[in-house]
Amino acid sequence: MSDQAPSEVTVTVNGTEIEAQPGEMLIAATDRAGIHIPRFCYHERMSSVGMCRMCLVDVDTGRGPMLQPSCMVPVADGMVVDTESDDTKRAQEGILEFLLVNHPLDCPVCDKGGECPLQDQTIAYGPGESRFVEEKRHFEKPIPISDLVHLDRERCILCDRCTRFADEIAGDPLIQFTERGNSTQVLTFPDEPFSSYFSGNTVQICPVGALTAAPYRFKARPWDLEETESTCTTCSMGCRISVQSSRNELVRYLGVDVESVNHGWLCDKGRFNFEAINSDERLTVPLVRDQENQRQLLGTDWGSALAAAAEAIGQAGPQGVGIIGGSRLTNEDAYAWSKMARSVIGTDNIDAQLDDGLPAELVLGLPPATIADACEADTVLIVGPDLKEELAILHLRLRGAATRGRTKVVQIGPTATGSESYAQHSIRCQAGEAAKTLTELLSSSDPLAQQLRDGSVVTILGRASMAESADPAISVAAVIRAELPHATFLSALRRGNVRGALDMGLAPGFLPGRVRIDNPSQALLQKWTDIPKEQGLGTTEMLQAAAAGKIETLVLLGADPLCDFPDRNLAAEAIQKVKTVVAIDNFVTSSVAQADIVLPATAYGEQNGTTTNIEGRVSRVIQKITPPGSTRDDWMIATELAWRLGGDLGLTSKDEIWREIEQVAPSHTGITLERVTSDETHEGILVQQSSIDLTLPIPQDTPIADGYGLRLISGRKLWDGATATAHSPSLQHLAEPPTLKVHPNDLQRLGIPSGSEVRVISTRATENLTAVADSNIQRGTAVLPFNQPGGGANRFIDATATINDIRIETL
Amino acid sequence: MKFFTDENLLLAEEIIGRYPKPRSAMIPLLHLAQEQEGWVTDEAMAEIAELVGTTSAEVLGTCSFYEMFKRHPVGKYVINICTTMSCALMGAGDLMKHAELRLGVKSGSTTADGMFTLEGAECQAACTEAPCLQVNYRHQYKVTANQFDALVEELGSSDHEVPEHGVLSQVRQHIPEDRFVGVVPPEDVTTAPVWLNDNGSDQ
Ligand code: SF4
Ligand code: SF4
Ligand code: FES
């Protein structure tokens, strides 16, 4: 090996010289040069395996032309390649004839027909006719290999894409090639389905119709589909997707490959929850509480519903109104509501987060990192939720960086997580005590401390458990700022466009553009009539004020505090106590069912606008279908209400709103409407400047648990009672019922057999649950998923406590 | 779920310890499972997956690739008659027909008493001795119909040396612990592997 590797090599392809990077495979170089070589098994995001031989081309490295698979041959300087030689053509014909020997050719009834690489390449490169007259091999078809994916082994061409994806990318090698020779087939282990959170990706990358997705089977033909590139807003990762519809109904999402975010992959939740948008249970008309039968909501017209809502807001006065939610909204809608609250109602009681994330000033004020920064850092420090459950594609990116790159993942937390399999270190700490553990680590002589001090560090910071307040996370931030000043941060936040909502000022004390309320820009003062002087209330404080009778009207902006706020009792008391609840939503959630006035909003895929992911990347969401019934965009609802309250937001379209955002939000200066509607939003436009200077408090010790209780830890699962999952027929049954996991010794101490029903007692509630022994759980703690159908952890949690303890008893 | 006997579990752990990565022990453990039960059960594969830290599907993928791992019960003695070219020319077809009549089962099946499984096999690399067969992978050369009958007789009695299907060897080898590779943390690996040295010599 020479010391000086050349930085580029030159390869001649079909008589033209192209530049290639040393070490890359020939097919990657020709792809970049726009020269197409047919292929089945090669995939640019996975390792090359040379399974299908479709990419054979004539390669001459000085010894005369030879057929070589271009996905397995690294480029070399002076290589001469012919992708159109007679030998290449004969090879292509031969390979296709072979592949079709066992292929059933059921194109007319195959979901892939019309967009099938096997069809397309057979037409482009095939021999036109087959010499095979014998019987083809037969398999039972199709067999479900999971709840979401069906496998037709007759159609499979054994390219190893699905199995490679499952092993290499997802880390769930639950599908495998079994048997060999003519009997080779993809299979799962008997009774162990392919229950990966990422299974839908295999359907997308299968080059034939062997893998089909249950929610899409026989729904449409590719040539009937219309598509548009958009962004997934199911979680705050912001994966790019292609939204596809047929006859004004969403039928499929596909991942779009963008370097900065999702590399083409999607999680199954984001991929399949389009079913909820098509649901018959969508809200389509405004509803008001029936005056005669208080238990009933009655349909009404927009005029009366808006008038009633405006009256309730007006009567309550600025201090008597609280607005909770906003992460479902696009940036433009969020801006309209931000302006409406401050400038028309005159209140700063507005919060997009349900006290389940980080304080806005941390999100906006900590030194920012991108997802790419994390994947290139020496160390990624995770102190927060289980990323596999809550930000699934971030988990996939980090897994890739850790298994194929040089990034070391270190996590500190109270429970086992999905990151453990690729983490260099998984350090268990007591719930709420990550800061203490980190301080101890950094003051020790552990080589890890050195690694963190010397190398680049990206911290993924979030609230590890819904049963703890934000204080433990704030303490972690304080320790890192003090001890590792070079570290940057990525906030692990919950729900869709939460980052965009915070950027637009849907947090008490903040205005659009990452500025504090006492520091408005001149441009903003010109557009907004008035700004409250005092910082308003956050979600917990609003609910407390409501429960104490100090808030009269509560506006739920796509929020469902009864399910999503950590403390169900407080939420229930607040909703009970206030005079009027105005809910703006897509579905009748538990909280919406308690509302007095319900305004139906348009949903994802039915509106245009922009969204912002956790790293601050702005990309576009695009309307694909017509909204149902008389639903309206959230910004329209804001302007209508403003007008009825005697104000004027001065906003008449989403484009116009973006123009105003660009003028008044200092962080967004220069991000013009032209830019956000251009191709630039394919990768998204990164917005990182912020004028928030942050003073972090001195870390506080977490209260010690008493000897009797178990410390409660509660995170979300990918499959849970989330509204969109619950309204997607293919997904709703994937959420498991809630079980309380406890260390076997703790159960034994109480004489409780694993799997039995126990009484769970907290300061908030006493209820029965099934307790299961799990030796992965630390002693003295109990793990209960936050929102499984059949009972959420929020019944037991006191949102005002730093940390929550429970006791369990035999029945 | 518990498949391996206590004794075999200890052995399994010893075998795993011989390799830098537990997964490398997968095939030896499949042999051990087949030795214990005569064939490889689903329970065995699931337990091996747990022992070597992978999924049952991966163990199935590996196991099913090899024909000599049986995933269905087989007889105490598996008789493979070679049906490839040299043996075919020297009368393997007739031998197979004879064997089927003698055992009363078709090729590919097991006698009702669970004693014999009869199979056709590809070349056994003994063409000079055609037609040949194997009993639990032990060769028999130039087999005639009479010899076949005698073989069946002998296997039915207690007077022979062919161990039951699945047994690899009658003497169990134990490798002393100081010869295990074990798990070497990457940072402790200071020299390149032998085969990467300039002249391939071990220095
Ligand atoms: S199922 Fe599809 S992706 Fe998987 S090996 Fe077969 S053809 Fe390839
Ligand atoms: S990770 Fe989040 S943004 Fe990406 S597909 Fe899943 S839900 Fe959508
Ligand atoms: S694409 Fe190269 S062998 Fe399949």
Side-chain angles (χ1 to χ4, degrees), chain A residues 465-520:
Chain A
S465 162
M466 308 281 269
E468 63 186 46
S469 73
D471 293 346
I474 299 173
S475 300
V476 170
V479 172
I480 296 177
R481 289 301 291 142
E483 299 290 323
L484 303 169
H486 59 291
T488 50
F489 291 82
L490 195 55
S491 310
L493 302 177
R494 295 182 160 96
R495 274 189 304 282
N497 188 25
V498 57
R499 178 64 207 253
L502 297 183
D503 283 355
M504 293 302 116
L506 297 192
F510 290 88
L511 293 173
R514 303 174 189 169
V515 289
R516 292 192 195 267
I517 199 154
D518 53 12
N519 186 25

Side-chain angles (χ1 to χ4, degrees), chain A residues 318-319 321-327 329 333-343 345-354 360 501-502 504-512 517 528 532 534-543 551 554-557 638:
Chain A
Q319 299 318 313
V321 177
I323 304 171
I324 298 177
S327 51
L329 278 51
D333 293 300
Y335 176 82
W337 271 94
S338 185
K339 187 173 180 181
M340 149 88 172
R342 271 57 176 256
S343 164
I345 306 176
T347 187
D348 190 45
N349 299 340
I350 187 164
D351 197 345
Q353 295 191 90
L354 299 186
L502 297 183
M504 293 302 116
L506 297 192
F510 290 88
L511 293 173
I517 199 154
W528 292 28
E534 299 278 299
Q535 172 166 341
L537 309 177
T539 295
T540 305
E541 296 157 325
M542 273 188 262
L543 292 172
I551 279 185
L554 208 50
V555 181
L556 301 179
L557 210 48

